[in-house]
Amino acid sequence: MTTARDIMHPGAQWIPAHETLDRAAQLMRQLNVGALPIADSNERLCGILTDRDIVVGCVAMGHDPSQVTAGDMAKGTPRWIDAGSDVGEVLQEMQGHQIRRLPVIENKRLVGMISEADLAQHLSDAQIHAFVERVYANG
């Protein structure tokens, strides 16, 4: 059985909710990633911040990224998957919520992230096709 742990990109890093968006952008550049899970003061997942969130939700709105925090951008219920979950559960979670990145949690700790690129390396062409149809569906 292929698990979330088998397909994830290990070594994902949190950004604390109190950290500013300019620092988040610097960390994204340093890590060469487009998204960071946001951790609250108890190191619990409270959201995911994307590079697009910073640009569209902050800069394009005329806000100063050095004054807006990652926590300010955290909206909704964050989605995640247990490291031992089957790849079918990963697909169900990502497709069902139309998300492109999924934090992987083990023992309440972030251990990795699953992105579309990770899926592409581990799924059949038919599985990838179904994923793309569902995640990118209009509506």
Side-chain angles (χ1 to χ4, degrees), residues 62-133:
H63 301 295
D64 181 352
S66 69
Q67 300 299 313
V68 178
T69 67
D72 293 336
M73 302 298 287
K75 295 176 178 67
T77 303
R79 309 307 306 178
W80 56 274
I81 196 86
D82 185 84
S85 296
D86 179 81
V87 70
E89 294 172 80
V90 171
L91 287 173
Q92 184 176 17
E93 186 70 19
M94 293 177 81
Q95 292 168 347
H97 297 282
Q98 293 187 313
I99 55 177
R100 297 172 179 96
R101 298 171 182 97
L102 187 63
V104 180
I105 307 292
E106 183 174 49
N107 298 322
K108 300 182 181 180
R109 302 306 249 184
L110 178 71
V111 294
M113 288 281 282
I114 296 174
S115 69
E116 294 165 310
D118 299 316
L119 293 177
Q121 293 178 349
H122 294 90
L123 300 179
S124 69
D125 288 345
Q127 287 173 308
I128 293 168
H129 179 76
F131 172 81
V132 169
E133 279 189 338

Short mmCIF file of all heavy atoms in Angstrom, two decimals, residues 62-133:
data_model
loop_
_atom_site.label_atom_id
_atom_site.label_comp_id
_atom_site.label_asym_id
_atom_site.label_seq_id
_atom_site.Cartn_x
_atom_site.Cartn_y
_atom_site.Cartn_z
N GLY A 62 -3.00 46.66 -1.63
CA GLY A 62 -2.37 47.87 -1.13
C GLY A 62 -1.87 47.79 0.29
O GLY A 62 -1.52 48.80 0.90
N HIS A 63 -1.79 46.58 0.83
CA HIS A 63 -1.31 46.39 2.20
C HIS A 63 0.20 46.20 2.21
O HIS A 63 0.80 45.78 1.22
CB HIS A 63 -1.99 45.20 2.86
CG HIS A 63 -3.48 45.31 2.91
ND1 HIS A 63 -4.15 46.28 3.64
CD2 HIS A 63 -4.44 44.58 2.31
CE1 HIS A 63 -5.44 46.13 3.48
NE2 HIS A 63 -5.65 45.11 2.67
N ASP A 64 0.80 46.47 3.32
CA ASP A 64 2.25 46.33 3.51
C ASP A 64 2.56 44.93 4.05
O ASP A 64 2.15 44.61 5.17
CB ASP A 64 2.72 47.40 4.49
CG ASP A 64 4.22 47.37 4.76
OD1 ASP A 64 4.91 46.43 4.30
OD2 ASP A 64 4.70 48.30 5.43
N PRO A 65 3.28 44.10 3.27
CA PRO A 65 3.57 42.74 3.74
C PRO A 65 4.43 42.68 5.01
O PRO A 65 4.46 41.66 5.67
CB PRO A 65 4.29 42.08 2.57
CG PRO A 65 4.57 43.14 1.59
CD PRO A 65 3.78 44.36 1.94
N SER A 66 5.05 43.79 5.37
CA SER A 66 5.81 43.80 6.62
C SER A 66 4.90 44.09 7.82
O SER A 66 5.36 44.03 8.96
CB SER A 66 6.95 44.83 6.56
OG SER A 66 6.42 46.14 6.55
N GLN A 67 3.63 44.38 7.54
CA GLN A 67 2.67 44.69 8.61
C GLN A 67 1.55 43.66 8.73
O GLN A 67 0.76 43.70 9.67
CB GLN A 67 2.06 46.07 8.38
CG GLN A 67 3.07 47.19 8.36
CD GLN A 67 3.83 47.31 9.66
OE1 GLN A 67 3.25 47.31 10.74
NE2 GLN A 67 5.16 47.41 9.58
N VAL A 68 1.46 42.74 7.77
CA VAL A 68 0.42 41.72 7.76
C VAL A 68 1.06 40.39 8.15
O VAL A 68 2.15 40.05 7.66
CB VAL A 68 -0.25 41.61 6.37
CG1 VAL A 68 -1.30 40.52 6.35
CG2 VAL A 68 -0.85 42.95 5.95
N THR A 69 0.41 39.63 9.02
CA THR A 69 0.98 38.36 9.47
C THR A 69 0.40 37.17 8.70
O THR A 69 -0.68 37.27 8.09
CB THR A 69 0.73 38.13 10.97
OG1 THR A 69 -0.68 37.94 11.18
CG2 THR A 69 1.27 39.29 11.81
N ALA A 70 1.10 36.08 8.77
CA ALA A 70 0.61 34.83 8.16
C ALA A 70 -0.73 34.46 8.78
O ALA A 70 -1.64 34.02 8.07
CB ALA A 70 1.63 33.71 8.37
N GLY A 71 -0.87 34.66 10.08
CA GLY A 71 -2.13 34.35 10.76
C GLY A 71 -3.28 35.20 10.25
O GLY A 71 -4.43 34.74 10.21
N ASP A 72 -3.00 36.43 9.83
CA ASP A 72 -4.04 37.29 9.26
C ASP A 72 -4.60 36.68 7.98
O ASP A 72 -5.75 36.93 7.62
CB ASP A 72 -3.50 38.68 8.94
CG ASP A 72 -3.11 39.49 10.16
OD1 ASP A 72 -3.65 39.22 11.26
OD2 ASP A 72 -2.25 40.39 10.02
N MET A 73 -3.80 35.90 7.30
CA MET A 73 -4.19 35.31 6.02
C MET A 73 -4.82 33.93 6.17
O MET A 73 -5.38 33.41 5.22
CB MET A 73 -2.98 35.21 5.08
CG MET A 73 -2.29 36.54 4.80
SD MET A 73 -3.34 37.75 3.97
CE MET A 73 -3.42 37.04 2.35
N ALA A 74 -4.72 33.34 7.35
CA ALA A 74 -5.26 31.99 7.58
C ALA A 74 -6.77 32.05 7.62
O ALA A 74 -7.35 32.72 8.48
CB ALA A 74 -4.70 31.41 8.87
N LYS A 75 -7.41 31.37 6.67
CA LYS A 75 -8.86 31.38 6.60
C LYS A 75 -9.37 29.95 6.46
O LYS A 75 -8.73 29.11 5.86
CB LYS A 75 -9.33 32.19 5.40
CG LYS A 75 -8.98 33.67 5.50
CD LYS A 75 -9.39 34.39 4.23
CE LYS A 75 -9.12 35.86 4.30
NZ LYS A 75 -7.74 36.23 4.35
N GLY A 76 -10.54 29.70 7.01
CA GLY A 76 -11.16 28.40 6.85
C GLY A 76 -10.51 27.33 7.71
O GLY A 76 -9.64 27.60 8.53
N THR A 77 -10.94 26.11 7.48
CA THR A 77 -10.42 24.96 8.21
C THR A 77 -9.28 24.35 7.41
O THR A 77 -9.48 23.94 6.27
CB THR A 77 -11.53 23.90 8.40
OG1 THR A 77 -12.61 24.50 9.08
CG2 THR A 77 -11.01 22.70 9.17
N PRO A 78 -8.09 24.30 7.99
CA PRO A 78 -6.97 23.71 7.24
C PRO A 78 -7.17 22.21 7.04
O PRO A 78 -7.67 21.52 7.92
CB PRO A 78 -5.75 24.01 8.11
CG PRO A 78 -6.30 24.24 9.47
CD PRO A 78 -7.70 24.74 9.31
N ARG A 79 -6.80 21.73 5.90
CA ARG A 79 -6.88 20.31 5.56
C ARG A 79 -5.49 19.70 5.73
O ARG A 79 -4.48 20.36 5.47
CB ARG A 79 -7.37 20.12 4.12
CG ARG A 79 -8.64 20.87 3.75
CD ARG A 79 -9.82 20.64 4.64
NE ARG A 79 -10.13 19.23 4.79
CZ ARG A 79 -11.10 18.77 5.55
NH1 ARG A 79 -11.86 19.60 6.24
NH2 ARG A 79 -11.33 17.48 5.66
N TRP A 80 -5.45 18.44 6.13
CA TRP A 80 -4.19 17.73 6.31
C TRP A 80 -4.48 16.24 6.19
O TRP A 80 -5.62 15.82 6.16
CB TRP A 80 -3.55 18.06 7.65
CG TRP A 80 -4.45 17.79 8.82
CD1 TRP A 80 -5.38 18.63 9.34
CD2 TRP A 80 -4.53 16.58 9.58
NE1 TRP A 80 -6.03 18.02 10.39
CE2 TRP A 80 -5.54 16.75 10.56
CE3 TRP A 80 -3.85 15.36 9.53
CZ2 TRP A 80 -5.87 15.76 11.47
CZ3 TRP A 80 -4.19 14.38 10.45
CH2 TRP A 80 -5.18 14.59 11.40
N ILE A 81 -3.41 15.45 6.16
CA ILE A 81 -3.56 14.00 6.07
C ILE A 81 -2.54 13.36 7.00
O ILE A 81 -1.44 13.88 7.18
CB ILE A 81 -3.39 13.51 4.60
CG1 ILE A 81 -3.91 12.10 4.40
CG2 ILE A 81 -1.95 13.63 4.14
CD1 ILE A 81 -5.37 12.03 4.10
N ASP A 82 -2.91 12.24 7.59
CA ASP A 82 -1.98 11.48 8.43
C ASP A 82 -0.95 10.79 7.53
O ASP A 82 -1.29 10.31 6.44
CB ASP A 82 -2.75 10.44 9.24
CG ASP A 82 -1.84 9.71 10.20
OD1 ASP A 82 -1.60 10.22 11.30
OD2 ASP A 82 -1.35 8.61 9.83
N ALA A 83 0.28 10.72 7.99
CA ALA A 83 1.36 10.13 7.20
C ALA A 83 1.08 8.69 6.79
O ALA A 83 1.54 8.24 5.74
CB ALA A 83 2.68 10.19 7.98
N GLY A 84 0.31 7.95 7.56
CA GLY A 84 0.03 6.56 7.26
C GLY A 84 -1.17 6.35 6.35
O GLY A 84 -1.50 5.21 6.01
N SER A 85 -1.82 7.42 5.94
CA SER A 85 -3.01 7.30 5.10
C SER A 85 -2.66 6.77 3.71
O SER A 85 -1.62 7.10 3.15
CB SER A 85 -3.70 8.66 4.96
OG SER A 85 -4.17 9.11 6.20
N ASP A 86 -3.57 5.99 3.17
CA ASP A 86 -3.41 5.43 1.83
C ASP A 86 -3.49 6.55 0.78
O ASP A 86 -4.16 7.56 0.99
CB ASP A 86 -4.53 4.41 1.60
CG ASP A 86 -4.47 3.79 0.23
OD1 ASP A 86 -3.66 2.86 0.04
OD2 ASP A 86 -5.23 4.24 -0.64
N VAL A 87 -2.83 6.34 -0.35
CA VAL A 87 -2.84 7.34 -1.42
C VAL A 87 -4.26 7.65 -1.89
O VAL A 87 -4.56 8.78 -2.29
CB VAL A 87 -1.92 6.91 -2.59
CG1 VAL A 87 -2.49 5.72 -3.34
CG2 VAL A 87 -1.68 8.07 -3.54
N GLY A 88 -5.15 6.69 -1.80
CA GLY A 88 -6.56 6.94 -2.15
C GLY A 88 -7.18 7.99 -1.25
O GLY A 88 -7.97 8.83 -1.70
N GLU A 89 -6.83 7.95 0.04
CA GLU A 89 -7.33 8.96 0.98
C GLU A 89 -6.73 10.33 0.68
O GLU A 89 -7.41 11.36 0.81
CB GLU A 89 -7.00 8.56 2.41
CG GLU A 89 -7.72 7.31 2.89
CD GLU A 89 -7.22 6.85 4.24
OE1 GLU A 89 -7.67 7.46 5.25
OE2 GLU A 89 -6.38 5.93 4.30
N VAL A 90 -5.46 10.34 0.26
CA VAL A 90 -4.81 11.60 -0.13
C VAL A 90 -5.58 12.21 -1.30
O VAL A 90 -5.93 13.40 -1.28
CB VAL A 90 -3.33 11.36 -0.52
CG1 VAL A 90 -2.73 12.62 -1.14
CG2 VAL A 90 -2.52 10.89 0.68
N LEU A 91 -5.83 11.39 -2.32
CA LEU A 91 -6.56 11.89 -3.49
C LEU A 91 -7.95 12.36 -3.12
O LEU A 91 -8.41 13.41 -3.59
CB LEU A 91 -6.64 10.80 -4.56
CG LEU A 91 -5.34 10.50 -5.28
CD1 LEU A 91 -5.50 9.28 -6.18
CD2 LEU A 91 -4.87 11.70 -6.08
N GLN A 92 -8.63 11.61 -2.29
CA GLN A 92 -9.98 11.98 -1.87
C GLN A 92 -9.97 13.34 -1.16
O GLN A 92 -10.83 14.19 -1.42
CB GLN A 92 -10.56 10.90 -0.96
CG GLN A 92 -11.98 11.13 -0.57
CD GLN A 92 -12.53 9.96 0.26
OE1 GLN A 92 -11.79 9.14 0.78
NE2 GLN A 92 -13.84 9.91 0.37
N GLU A 93 -9.02 13.54 -0.28
CA GLU A 93 -8.92 14.79 0.47
C GLU A 93 -8.62 15.97 -0.47
O GLU A 93 -9.26 17.01 -0.40
CB GLU A 93 -7.83 14.68 1.54
CG GLU A 93 -7.73 15.87 2.46
CD GLU A 93 -8.90 16.02 3.42
OE1 GLU A 93 -9.64 15.06 3.66
OE2 GLU A 93 -9.08 17.14 3.93
N MET A 94 -7.65 15.78 -1.36
CA MET A 94 -7.27 16.86 -2.27
C MET A 94 -8.36 17.14 -3.30
O MET A 94 -8.67 18.30 -3.57
CB MET A 94 -5.93 16.55 -2.93
CG MET A 94 -4.78 16.55 -1.94
SD MET A 94 -3.18 16.11 -2.64
CE MET A 94 -2.69 17.67 -3.39
N GLN A 95 -8.95 16.10 -3.84
CA GLN A 95 -10.00 16.28 -4.83
C GLN A 95 -11.27 16.84 -4.20
O GLN A 95 -11.89 17.75 -4.73
CB GLN A 95 -10.32 14.95 -5.53
CG GLN A 95 -9.20 14.47 -6.41
CD GLN A 95 -9.40 13.03 -6.87
OE1 GLN A 95 -10.24 12.28 -6.36
NE2 GLN A 95 -8.59 12.61 -7.84
N GLY A 96 -11.64 16.29 -3.07
CA GLY A 96 -12.88 16.69 -2.41
C GLY A 96 -12.89 18.14 -1.98
O GLY A 96 -13.94 18.77 -1.92
N HIS A 97 -11.73 18.67 -1.69
CA HIS A 97 -11.63 20.06 -1.23
C HIS A 97 -10.96 20.96 -2.26
O HIS A 97 -10.70 22.13 -1.98
CB HIS A 97 -10.89 20.13 0.11
CG HIS A 97 -11.62 19.40 1.20
ND1 HIS A 97 -12.71 19.95 1.85
CD2 HIS A 97 -11.46 18.16 1.71
CE1 HIS A 97 -13.17 19.08 2.72
NE2 HIS A 97 -12.43 17.98 2.66
N GLN A 98 -10.68 20.40 -3.43
CA GLN A 98 -10.05 21.12 -4.54
C GLN A 98 -8.80 21.88 -4.07
O GLN A 98 -8.67 23.09 -4.26
CB GLN A 98 -11.04 22.06 -5.23
CG GLN A 98 -12.15 21.32 -5.94
CD GLN A 98 -13.02 22.22 -6.77
OE1 GLN A 98 -13.45 23.26 -6.30
NE2 GLN A 98 -13.26 21.82 -8.00
N ILE A 99 -7.90 21.13 -3.44
CA ILE A 99 -6.66 21.74 -2.97
C ILE A 99 -5.47 21.13 -3.70
O ILE A 99 -5.51 19.98 -4.14
CB ILE A 99 -6.49 21.61 -1.44
CG1 ILE A 99 -6.59 20.15 -0.99
CG2 ILE A 99 -7.51 22.47 -0.72
CD1 ILE A 99 -6.35 19.96 0.49
N ARG A 100 -4.42 21.91 -3.81
CA ARG A 100 -3.24 21.52 -4.59
C ARG A 100 -2.04 21.14 -3.73
O ARG A 100 -1.06 20.64 -4.23
CB ARG A 100 -2.89 22.65 -5.53
CG ARG A 100 -4.00 22.89 -6.55
CD ARG A 100 -3.73 24.15 -7.37
NE ARG A 100 -4.79 24.33 -8.33
CZ ARG A 100 -5.85 25.11 -8.14
NH1 ARG A 100 -5.98 25.78 -7.01
NH2 ARG A 100 -6.76 25.22 -9.05
N ARG A 101 -2.13 21.45 -2.43
CA ARG A 101 -1.05 21.12 -1.50
C ARG A 101 -1.68 20.61 -0.21
O ARG A 101 -2.65 21.18 0.28
CB ARG A 101 -0.20 22.35 -1.19
CG ARG A 101 0.50 22.92 -2.41
CD ARG A 101 1.13 24.25 -2.04
NE ARG A 101 1.79 24.88 -3.16
CZ ARG A 101 1.25 25.83 -3.92
NH1 ARG A 101 0.01 26.24 -3.68
NH2 ARG A 101 1.93 26.36 -4.91
N LEU A 102 -1.07 19.57 0.35
CA LEU A 102 -1.66 18.95 1.54
C LEU A 102 -0.57 18.66 2.57
O LEU A 102 0.35 17.87 2.29
CB LEU A 102 -2.36 17.65 1.12
CG LEU A 102 -3.17 16.92 2.18
CD1 LEU A 102 -4.35 17.78 2.66
CD2 LEU A 102 -3.69 15.60 1.60
N PRO A 103 -0.64 19.27 3.74
CA PRO A 103 0.33 18.96 4.80
C PRO A 103 0.16 17.51 5.27
O PRO A 103 -0.96 17.00 5.34
CB PRO A 103 -0.03 19.93 5.92
CG PRO A 103 -0.84 21.00 5.29
CD PRO A 103 -1.55 20.35 4.15
N VAL A 104 1.27 16.89 5.61
CA VAL A 104 1.27 15.52 6.12
C VAL A 104 1.70 15.60 7.58
O VAL A 104 2.75 16.15 7.92
CB VAL A 104 2.23 14.61 5.32
CG1 VAL A 104 2.21 13.20 5.88
CG2 VAL A 104 1.86 14.63 3.83
N ILE A 105 0.85 15.04 8.44
CA ILE A 105 1.04 15.12 9.89
C ILE A 105 1.27 13.72 10.46
O ILE A 105 0.61 12.77 10.07
CB ILE A 105 -0.19 15.76 10.58
CG1 ILE A 105 -0.55 17.11 9.94
CG2 ILE A 105 0.00 15.86 12.08
CD1 ILE A 105 0.43 18.22 10.18
N GLU A 106 2.21 13.63 11.41
CA GLU A 106 2.44 12.38 12.13
C GLU A 106 2.67 12.74 13.60
O GLU A 106 3.51 13.59 13.89
CB GLU A 106 3.65 11.65 11.56
CG GLU A 106 3.91 10.31 12.20
CD GLU A 106 5.03 9.57 11.51
OE1 GLU A 106 6.10 10.17 11.28
OE2 GLU A 106 4.83 8.40 11.19
N ASN A 107 1.92 12.12 14.49
CA ASN A 107 2.02 12.42 15.92
C ASN A 107 1.89 13.92 16.20
O ASN A 107 2.67 14.49 16.95
CB ASN A 107 3.33 11.87 16.50
CG ASN A 107 3.42 10.38 16.38
OD1 ASN A 107 2.43 9.66 16.54
ND2 ASN A 107 4.60 9.88 16.07
N LYS A 108 0.93 14.54 15.52
CA LYS A 108 0.63 15.97 15.67
C LYS A 108 1.75 16.89 15.22
O LYS A 108 1.77 18.07 15.57
CB LYS A 108 0.22 16.29 17.12
CG LYS A 108 -1.01 15.54 17.57
CD LYS A 108 -1.40 15.94 18.98
CE LYS A 108 -2.62 15.15 19.41
NZ LYS A 108 -3.05 15.48 20.75
N ARG A 109 2.69 16.37 14.44
CA ARG A 109 3.81 17.16 13.94
C ARG A 109 3.83 17.13 12.42
O ARG A 109 3.58 16.10 11.80
CB ARG A 109 5.15 16.60 14.44
CG ARG A 109 5.29 16.52 15.94
CD ARG A 109 5.03 17.81 16.58
NE ARG A 109 6.21 18.38 17.17
CZ ARG A 109 6.18 19.49 17.85
NH1 ARG A 109 5.08 20.14 18.02
NH2 ARG A 109 7.27 19.97 18.37
N LEU A 110 4.19 18.24 11.82
CA LEU A 110 4.33 18.34 10.38
C LEU A 110 5.56 17.55 9.95
O LEU A 110 6.66 17.77 10.47
CB LEU A 110 4.50 19.80 9.98
CG LEU A 110 4.71 20.08 8.50
CD1 LEU A 110 3.42 19.81 7.72
CD2 LEU A 110 5.16 21.52 8.29
N VAL A 111 5.38 16.60 9.03
CA VAL A 111 6.51 15.80 8.55
C VAL A 111 6.74 15.95 7.05
O VAL A 111 7.75 15.52 6.53
CB VAL A 111 6.36 14.30 8.90
CG1 VAL A 111 6.42 14.10 10.41
CG2 VAL A 111 5.09 13.71 8.31
N GLY A 112 5.80 16.58 6.35
CA GLY A 112 5.97 16.76 4.92
C GLY A 112 4.78 17.44 4.28
O GLY A 112 3.81 17.79 4.96
N MET A 113 4.88 17.63 2.98
CA MET A 113 3.81 18.22 2.18
C MET A 113 3.66 17.38 0.92
O MET A 113 4.65 16.85 0.40
CB MET A 113 4.15 19.65 1.75
CG MET A 113 4.10 20.66 2.85
SD MET A 113 2.44 21.21 3.26
CE MET A 113 2.12 22.35 1.94
N ILE A 114 2.43 17.28 0.45
CA ILE A 114 2.16 16.62 -0.82
C ILE A 114 1.66 17.69 -1.77
O ILE A 114 0.71 18.43 -1.46
CB ILE A 114 1.11 15.50 -0.67
CG1 ILE A 114 1.65 14.40 0.23
CG2 ILE A 114 0.75 14.94 -2.05
CD1 ILE A 114 0.64 13.31 0.55
N SER A 115 2.32 17.78 -2.92
CA SER A 115 1.92 18.75 -3.95
C SER A 115 1.53 17.99 -5.21
O SER A 115 1.68 16.76 -5.29
CB SER A 115 3.09 19.69 -4.27
OG SER A 115 4.11 18.96 -4.93
N GLU A 116 1.07 18.73 -6.18
CA GLU A 116 0.73 18.12 -7.47
C GLU A 116 1.95 17.42 -8.08
O GLU A 116 1.81 16.35 -8.67
CB GLU A 116 0.21 19.18 -8.43
CG GLU A 116 -1.10 19.78 -7.97
CD GLU A 116 -1.43 21.05 -8.71
OE1 GLU A 116 -0.57 21.94 -8.78
OE2 GLU A 116 -2.55 21.14 -9.21
N ALA A 117 3.11 18.01 -7.93
CA ALA A 117 4.32 17.40 -8.48
C ALA A 117 4.60 16.05 -7.82
O ALA A 117 5.02 15.10 -8.50
CB ALA A 117 5.52 18.33 -8.30
N ASP A 118 4.36 15.95 -6.52
CA ASP A 118 4.55 14.67 -5.83
C ASP A 118 3.57 13.63 -6.35
O ASP A 118 3.93 12.47 -6.56
CB ASP A 118 4.36 14.85 -4.32
CG ASP A 118 5.36 15.82 -3.71
OD1 ASP A 118 6.56 15.74 -4.05
OD2 ASP A 118 4.95 16.65 -2.90
N LEU A 119 2.32 14.05 -6.58
CA LEU A 119 1.33 13.13 -7.12
C LEU A 119 1.75 12.65 -8.51
O LEU A 119 1.65 11.46 -8.82
CB LEU A 119 -0.05 13.79 -7.20
CG LEU A 119 -0.72 14.14 -5.88
CD1 LEU A 119 -2.03 14.86 -6.15
CD2 LEU A 119 -0.94 12.91 -5.03
N ALA A 120 2.22 13.58 -9.33
CA ALA A 120 2.59 13.24 -10.70
C ALA A 120 3.68 12.17 -10.76
O ALA A 120 3.72 11.37 -11.69
CB ALA A 120 3.04 14.50 -11.44
N GLN A 121 4.53 12.15 -9.77
CA GLN A 121 5.62 11.17 -9.73
C GLN A 121 5.17 9.80 -9.27
O GLN A 121 5.87 8.82 -9.48
CB GLN A 121 6.75 11.66 -8.82
CG GLN A 121 7.47 12.87 -9.34
CD GLN A 121 8.54 13.34 -8.37
OE1 GLN A 121 8.62 12.90 -7.23
NE2 GLN A 121 9.37 14.27 -8.82
N HIS A 122 4.01 9.71 -8.61
CA HIS A 122 3.61 8.46 -7.98
C HIS A 122 2.29 7.88 -8.45
O HIS A 122 1.92 6.79 -8.00
CB HIS A 122 3.57 8.64 -6.46
CG HIS A 122 4.91 8.90 -5.86
ND1 HIS A 122 5.43 10.16 -5.71
CD2 HIS A 122 5.85 8.06 -5.40
CE1 HIS A 122 6.63 10.08 -5.18
NE2 HIS A 122 6.91 8.81 -4.98
N LEU A 123 1.55 8.59 -9.29
CA LEU A 123 0.25 8.11 -9.72
C LEU A 123 0.27 7.65 -11.18
O LEU A 123 1.13 8.06 -11.96
CB LEU A 123 -0.80 9.22 -9.58
CG LEU A 123 -1.02 9.77 -8.18
CD1 LEU A 123 -2.07 10.87 -8.22
CD2 LEU A 123 -1.42 8.69 -7.21
N SER A 124 -0.71 6.84 -11.52
CA SER A 124 -0.86 6.42 -12.91
C SER A 124 -1.41 7.60 -13.71
O SER A 124 -1.95 8.56 -13.15
CB SER A 124 -1.83 5.24 -13.00
OG SER A 124 -3.15 5.69 -12.69
N ASP A 125 -1.30 7.52 -15.03
CA ASP A 125 -1.84 8.57 -15.88
C ASP A 125 -3.34 8.76 -15.65
O ASP A 125 -3.84 9.88 -15.62
CB ASP A 125 -1.58 8.27 -17.36
CG ASP A 125 -0.11 8.43 -17.74
OD1 ASP A 125 0.65 9.05 -16.95
OD2 ASP A 125 0.28 7.96 -18.83
N ALA A 126 -4.06 7.65 -15.47
CA ALA A 126 -5.51 7.73 -15.24
C ALA A 126 -5.81 8.44 -13.92
O ALA A 126 -6.74 9.25 -13.83
CB ALA A 126 -6.12 6.34 -15.25
N GLN A 127 -5.04 8.16 -12.87
CA GLN A 127 -5.25 8.81 -11.57
C GLN A 127 -4.95 10.31 -11.67
O GLN A 127 -5.67 11.13 -11.11
CB GLN A 127 -4.36 8.18 -10.49
CG GLN A 127 -4.80 6.80 -10.05
CD GLN A 127 -3.78 6.16 -9.12
OE1 GLN A 127 -2.59 6.10 -9.42
NE2 GLN A 127 -4.27 5.69 -7.97
N ILE A 128 -3.89 10.66 -12.39
CA ILE A 128 -3.53 12.07 -12.56
C ILE A 128 -4.63 12.79 -13.32
O ILE A 128 -5.05 13.90 -12.96
CB ILE A 128 -2.17 12.22 -13.26
CG1 ILE A 128 -1.05 11.70 -12.35
CG2 ILE A 128 -1.92 13.67 -13.66
CD1 ILE A 128 0.28 11.54 -13.03
N HIS A 129 -5.13 12.18 -14.38
CA HIS A 129 -6.19 12.78 -15.18
C HIS A 129 -7.43 13.04 -14.31
O HIS A 129 -8.01 14.13 -14.35
CB HIS A 129 -6.53 11.87 -16.36
CG HIS A 129 -7.63 12.39 -17.22
ND1 HIS A 129 -7.44 13.42 -18.11
CD2 HIS A 129 -8.93 12.05 -17.29
CE1 HIS A 129 -8.58 13.68 -18.71
NE2 HIS A 129 -9.50 12.87 -18.23
N ALA A 130 -7.83 12.05 -13.52
CA ALA A 130 -9.00 12.20 -12.65
C ALA A 130 -8.77 13.31 -11.62
O ALA A 130 -9.66 14.12 -11.34
CB ALA A 130 -9.32 10.88 -11.95
N PHE A 131 -7.57 13.37 -11.06
CA PHE A 131 -7.23 14.41 -10.09
C PHE A 131 -7.36 15.79 -10.71
O PHE A 131 -8.01 16.68 -10.15
CB PHE A 131 -5.80 14.19 -9.56
CG PHE A 131 -5.30 15.32 -8.70
CD1 PHE A 131 -5.67 15.40 -7.36
CD2 PHE A 131 -4.47 16.30 -9.21
CE1 PHE A 131 -5.23 16.43 -6.56
CE2 PHE A 131 -4.03 17.34 -8.41
CZ PHE A 131 -4.40 17.41 -7.09
N VAL A 132 -6.77 15.98 -11.87
CA VAL A 132 -6.80 17.29 -12.53
C VAL A 132 -8.23 17.69 -12.86
O VAL A 132 -8.62 18.83 -12.63
CB VAL A 132 -5.92 17.26 -13.80
CG1 VAL A 132 -6.15 18.50 -14.66
CG2 VAL A 132 -4.44 17.15 -13.42
N GLU A 133 -9.02 16.77 -13.35
CA GLU A 133 -10.43 17.07 -13.66
C GLU A 133 -11.19 17.54 -12.43
O GLU A 133 -11.96 18.48 -12.49
CB GLU A 133 -11.13 15.85 -14.26
CG GLU A 133 -10.87 15.66 -15.72
CD GLU A 133 -11.75 14.57 -16.31
OE1 GLU A 133 -12.26 13.69 -15.56
OE2 GLU A 133 -11.96 14.59 -17.52
#
